[in-house]
Coordinates of all heavy atoms in Angstrom, one line a residue:
L4 N -226.7 -117.0 -106.3 CA -225.9 -116.4 -107.4 C -224.4 -116.5 -107.1 O -223.6 -116.7 -108.0 CB -226.3 -114.9 -107.5 CG -227.7 -114.6 -108.2 CD1 -227.9 -113.1 -108.1 CD2 -227.7 -115.1 -109.6
V5 N -224.0 -116.4 -105.8 CA -222.6 -116.5 -105.4 C -222.2 -118.0 -105.6 O -221.1 -118.2 -106.3 CB -222.4 -116.1 -104.0 CG1 -221.0 -116.4 -103.5 CG2 -222.7 -114.6 -103.9
R6 N -222.9 -118.9 -105.1 CA -222.5 -120.3 -105.1 C -222.7 -121.0 -106.4 O -221.9 -121.9 -106.8 CB -223.2 -121.1 -104.0 CG -222.8 -120.6 -102.6 CD -223.7 -121.1 -101.5 NE -223.2 -120.7 -100.2 CZ -223.9 -120.6 -99.1 NH1 -225.2 -120.9 -99.2 NH2 -223.4 -120.2 -98.0
R7 N -223.7 -120.7 -107.1 CA -224.0 -121.4 -108.4 C -223.5 -120.6 -109.6 O -223.0 -121.3 -110.6 CB -225.5 -121.6 -108.5 CG -226.0 -122.2 -109.8 CD -225.6 -123.7 -109.8 NE -226.1 -124.4 -111.0 CZ -225.5 -124.3 -112.2 NH1 -224.4 -123.6 -112.4 NH2 -226.1 -125.0 -113.2
H8 N -223.5 -119.3 -109.6 CA -223.1 -118.5 -110.8 C -221.9 -117.7 -110.7 O -221.5 -117.0 -111.6 CB -224.3 -117.6 -111.1 CG -225.6 -118.3 -111.5 ND1 -225.8 -118.7 -112.8 CD2 -226.6 -118.7 -110.7 CE1 -227.0 -119.4 -112.8 NE2 -227.5 -119.4 -111.6
G9 N -221.2 -117.9 -109.5 CA -219.9 -117.2 -109.4 C -219.9 -115.7 -109.2 O -218.8 -115.1 -109.4
V10 N -221.0 -115.2 -108.9 CA -221.1 -113.7 -108.6 C -220.3 -113.4 -107.4 O -220.3 -114.1 -106.4 CB -222.5 -113.3 -108.4 CG1 -222.6 -111.8 -108.0 CG2 -223.3 -113.5 -109.7
R11 N -219.4 -112.3 -107.5 CA -218.6 -112.0 -106.4 C -218.9 -110.6 -105.8 O -218.3 -110.3 -104.7 CB -217.1 -112.0 -106.9 CG -216.6 -113.4 -107.1 CD -216.5 -114.2 -105.8 NE -216.2 -115.6 -106.0 CZ -217.2 -116.5 -106.0 NH1 -218.4 -116.2 -105.8 NH2 -216.9 -117.8 -106.2
K12 N -219.7 -109.9 -106.4 CA -220.1 -108.6 -105.8 C -221.6 -108.4 -105.9 O -222.2 -108.6 -107.0 CB -219.4 -107.4 -106.6 CG -217.9 -107.4 -106.5 CD -217.3 -106.2 -107.3 CE -215.8 -106.3 -107.2 NZ -215.2 -105.2 -108.0
L13 N -222.2 -108.1 -104.8 CA -223.7 -107.9 -104.7 C -224.0 -106.6 -104.0 O -223.3 -106.2 -103.0 CB -224.3 -109.1 -103.9 CG -224.2 -110.5 -104.5 CD1 -224.5 -111.5 -103.4 CD2 -225.3 -110.6 -105.6
V14 N -225.1 -106.0 -104.5 CA -225.7 -104.9 -103.8 C -227.1 -105.3 -103.5 O -227.9 -105.5 -104.4 CB -225.6 -103.6 -104.6 CG1 -226.5 -102.5 -103.9 CG2 -224.2 -103.1 -104.8
L15 N -227.4 -105.3 -102.2 CA -228.8 -105.7 -101.8 C -229.5 -104.5 -101.3 O -229.1 -103.8 -100.3 CB -228.7 -106.7 -100.6 CG -227.8 -108.0 -100.8 CD1 -228.0 -108.9 -99.6 CD2 -228.2 -108.7 -102.1
A16 N -230.6 -104.1 -102.0 CA -231.3 -102.9 -101.7 C -232.7 -103.3 -101.0 O -233.4 -104.2 -101.5 CB -231.6 -102.1 -102.9
S17 N -233.0 -102.6 -100.0 CA -234.3 -102.8 -99.3 C -234.6 -101.6 -98.5 O -233.8 -100.7 -98.4 CB -234.2 -104.0 -98.3 OG -233.4 -103.7 -97.2
R18 N -235.9 -101.5 -98.0 CA -236.3 -100.3 -97.3 C -235.5 -100.2 -96.0 O -235.2 -99.1 -95.6 CB -237.8 -100.4 -97.0 CG -238.6 -100.0 -98.2 CD -240.1 -100.3 -98.0 NE -240.4 -101.7 -97.8 CZ -241.6 -102.2 -97.7 NH1 -242.6 -101.4 -97.6 NH2 -241.8 -103.5 -97.6
S19 N -235.2 -101.3 -95.4 CA -234.5 -101.2 -94.1 C -233.0 -101.2 -94.2 O -232.2 -100.6 -93.5 CB -234.8 -102.4 -93.2 OG -234.4 -103.6 -93.8
G20 N -232.5 -101.8 -95.3 CA -231.0 -101.9 -95.5 C -230.3 -102.7 -94.4 O -229.1 -102.4 -94.1
V21 N -231.0 -103.6 -93.8 CA -230.4 -104.4 -92.7 C -230.5 -105.9 -93.0 O -231.6 -106.3 -93.3 CB -231.0 -104.0 -91.3 CG1 -230.4 -104.9 -90.2 CG2 -230.8 -102.5 -91.0
T22 N -229.4 -106.6 -92.8 CA -229.5 -108.1 -92.8 C -228.2 -108.6 -92.2 O -227.2 -108.0 -92.3 CB -229.7 -108.7 -94.2 OG1 -229.9 -110.1 -94.1 CG2 -228.4 -108.4 -95.1
D23 N -228.4 -109.7 -91.5 CA -227.2 -110.4 -90.9 C -227.2 -111.8 -91.4 O -226.5 -112.7 -90.8 CB -227.2 -110.3 -89.4 CG -228.5 -110.9 -88.8 OD1 -229.4 -111.4 -89.6 OD2 -228.6 -110.9 -87.6
Q24 N -227.8 -112.1 -92.5 CA -228.0 -113.5 -92.9 C -226.9 -114.0 -93.9 O -226.9 -115.1 -94.3 CB -229.4 -113.7 -93.5 CG -230.5 -113.4 -92.6 CD -231.9 -113.5 -93.3 OE1 -232.3 -114.6 -93.6 NE2 -232.6 -112.4 -93.5
L25 N -226.1 -113.1 -94.3 CA -225.1 -113.4 -95.4 C -223.7 -113.4 -94.9 O -222.7 -113.3 -95.7 CB -225.3 -112.4 -96.6 CG -226.6 -112.6 -97.3 CD1 -226.7 -111.5 -98.3 CD2 -226.7 -113.9 -98.0
A26 N -223.5 -113.4 -93.6 CA -222.1 -113.5 -93.0 C -221.4 -114.8 -93.5 O -222.0 -115.8 -93.5 CB -222.2 -113.4 -91.5
G27 N -220.2 -114.6 -93.9 CA -219.4 -115.8 -94.3 C -219.5 -116.1 -95.8 O -218.9 -117.1 -96.2
L28 N -220.4 -115.4 -96.5 CA -220.6 -115.7 -97.9 C -219.3 -115.2 -98.7 O -218.8 -114.1 -98.4 CB -221.8 -114.9 -98.4 CG -222.3 -115.4 -99.8 CD1 -222.8 -116.8 -99.8 CD2 -223.5 -114.4 -100.2
D29 N -218.8 -116.0 -99.6 CA -217.6 -115.7 -100.3 C -217.9 -114.7 -101.4 O -217.8 -115.0 -102.6 CB -217.0 -117.0 -100.9 CG -215.7 -116.7 -101.6 OD1 -215.0 -115.7 -101.3 OD2 -215.3 -117.5 -102.4
A30 N -218.2 -113.5 -101.0 CA -218.5 -112.4 -101.9 C -218.5 -111.1 -101.2 O -218.6 -111.0 -100.0 CB -219.9 -112.6 -102.6
E31 N -218.3 -110.0 -102.0 CA -218.4 -108.7 -101.4 C -219.9 -108.2 -101.4 O -220.4 -108.0 -102.5 CB -217.5 -107.7 -102.2 CG -217.5 -106.3 -101.8 CD -216.8 -105.4 -102.7 OE1 -215.7 -105.8 -103.2 OE2 -217.2 -104.3 -103.0
V32 N -220.5 -108.1 -100.3 CA -221.9 -107.8 -100.2 C -222.1 -106.4 -99.6 O -221.6 -106.1 -98.4 CB -222.6 -108.8 -99.4 CG1 -224.1 -108.5 -99.3 CG2 -222.4 -110.2 -99.9
R33 N -222.8 -105.5 -100.3 CA -223.1 -104.2 -99.7 C -224.6 -104.1 -99.6 O -225.4 -104.4 -100.5 CB -222.6 -103.1 -100.7 CG -222.9 -101.7 -100.2 CD -221.9 -100.7 -100.8 NE -222.1 -100.7 -102.3 CZ -222.8 -99.7 -102.9 NH1 -223.4 -98.8 -102.2 NH2 -222.9 -99.7 -104.2
V34 N -225.1 -103.8 -98.4 CA -226.5 -103.7 -98.1 C -226.9 -102.2 -98.0 O -226.2 -101.5 -97.3 CB -226.9 -104.4 -96.8 CG1 -228.4 -104.3 -96.5 CG2 -226.5 -105.9 -96.9
V35 N -227.9 -101.8 -98.8 CA -228.2 -100.4 -98.9 C -229.7 -100.2 -98.6 O -230.5 -100.9 -99.1 CB -227.9 -99.9 -100.4 CG1 -228.2 -98.4 -100.5 CG2 -226.4 -100.1 -100.7
A36 N -229.9 -99.2 -97.8 CA -231.3 -98.8 -97.6 C -231.8 -97.9 -98.8 O -231.2 -96.9 -99.1 CB -231.5 -98.0 -96.3
C37 N -232.8 -98.4 -99.5 CA -233.3 -97.6 -100.7 C -234.8 -97.9 -100.9 O -235.2 -99.1 -101.0 CB -232.5 -98.0 -101.9 SG -233.1 -97.1 -103.4

């Protein structure tokens, strides 16, 4: 979505709320435990 569709803000929701796979992505990424 960031590279192909130009999305610049993301909220990633998951049960753990943990990821280290998006470092360096040209976007504001917020990971939330939900």
Side-chain angles (χ1 to χ4, degrees):
L4 288 176
V5 172
R6 291 171 178 154
R7 178 71 176 80
H8 296 273
V10 173
R11 289 293 169 262
K12 294 181 182 178
L13 292 165
V14 172
L15 309 184
S17 68
R18 281 172 294 182
S19 65
V21 176
T22 186
D23 56 0
Q24 302 177 66
L25 294 172
L28 195 62
D29 184 20
E31 179 186 321
V32 181
R33 182 159 61 98
V34 181
V35 179
C37 178

